[in-house]
Amino acid sequence: MNSRKLILAVMMAGSLGAAVVPAAASASGFYIGADAVMRSTELDYLEGTETYHTEHARIKAGYEILDFLAVEAQVLTAGDDSDIDFFGNLYSFDTGTIVGVYAKPKTDFSRANVYGLVGLAYWDTTYTDVALNEKYTDKVVTFGAGVGGEFNITKHLRFNIEGMMQVGTTSYGTFDPNIYSLSLAAGLNVRFLSRSSSRL
């Protein structure tokens, strides 16, 4: 996916969310958001490693259970890339749609906050030997941990930037590479506050 299109989609989603907040302002504790995500995924097997760089759009929704704790669900679009293994063979890797659920501990200040993410994600992966056109698929569950920052633009709108690491193991027939994935995300969250709330 083109990076400019990705960023435009995130900005449009954030603007649309900000427009509908007043109509849903009674839903205190809920938030929605959209991010652009850059990901680097390494497949590590006994003979060597391959690295794939992908771009994703991410939609997320969460609920702030307490002032210092939220739960968050995320859905990322699929991304794919190709790499050459140590034998010189060309392979491609498709993440598939990624769906994750995370606990989100956080600070509770009026202007800016730091948060963490800990949880699991489901990847619907496809790994392809390009020369032979042989495809291997596996549904992978990864453990993820991340850290990020949120900055309040208005009472309802927040900008966030976030880094995450995810690890898991795939099974592609005769070999089972481990997945090590690092991602960087940036985007907007829209908070649904009660009408009586006066905090930024």
Side-chain angles (χ1 to χ4, degrees):
M1 183 180 291
N2 183 280
S3 298
R4 291 181 181 177
K5 291 181 180 178
L6 198 62
I7 294 169
L8 180 60
V10 168
M11 297 300 292
M12 290 178 63
S15 299
L16 179 61
V20 303
V21 163
S26 61
S28 179
F30 285 100
Y31 64 90
I32 60 173
D35 300 298
V37 182
M38 307 294 291
R39 181 180 298 279
S40 176
T41 301
E42 181 180 273
L43 298 186
D44 185 0
Y45 44 94
L46 292 178
E47 294 82 3
T49 62
E50 298 162 16
T51 303
Y52 300 91
H53 303 283
T54 53
E55 300 174 352
H56 310 260
R58 181 175 72 179
I59 303 298
K60 59 193 175 184
Y63 182 72
E64 295 174 345
I65 303 170
L66 302 168
D67 290 339
F68 54 86
L69 180 65
V71 291
E72 182 173 299
Q74 305 177 355
V75 179
L76 286 79
T77 58
D80 65 90
D81 190 24
S82 59
D83 193 19
I84 297 173
D85 72 1
F86 71 103
F87 288 121
N89 300 312
L90 180 64
Y91 286 87
S92 69
F93 177 73
D94 189 330
T95 66
T97 301
I98 302 173
V99 180
V101 179
Y102 301 92
K104 185 179 181 181
K106 61 189 186 69
T107 59
D108 183 38
F109 300 110
S110 61
R111 297 288 181 178
N113 286 285
V114 176
Y115 64 87
L117 289 169
V118 180
L120 300 174
Y122 173 88
W123 304 38
D124 190 13
T125 69
T126 301
Y127 183 68
T128 304
D129 183 330
V130 176
L132 299 178
N133 196 29
E134 291 182 351
K135 295 180 183 291
Y136 306 89
T137 61
D138 190 27
K139 302 181 189 306
V140 181
V141 175
T142 61
F143 169 78
V147 64
E150 294 178 325
F151 308 91
N152 294 341
I153 300 171
T154 69
K155 184 190 299 185
H156 297 293
L157 189 63
R158 296 184 289 194
F159 169 77
N160 68 276
I161 185 164
E162 170 191 308
M164 180 177 285
M165 176 186 69
Q166 291 172 286
V167 296
T169 301
T170 65
S171 181
Y172 296 134
T174 60
F175 55 102
D176 302 321
N178 294 317
I179 284 182
Y180 301 100
S181 186
L182 298 174
S183 62
L184 180 65
L188 298 171
N189 290 341
V190 179
R191 305 167 68 190
F192 297 105
L193 299 176
S194 63
R195 295 185 186 278
S196 60
S197 176
S198 60
R199 290 185 59 190
L200 286 178

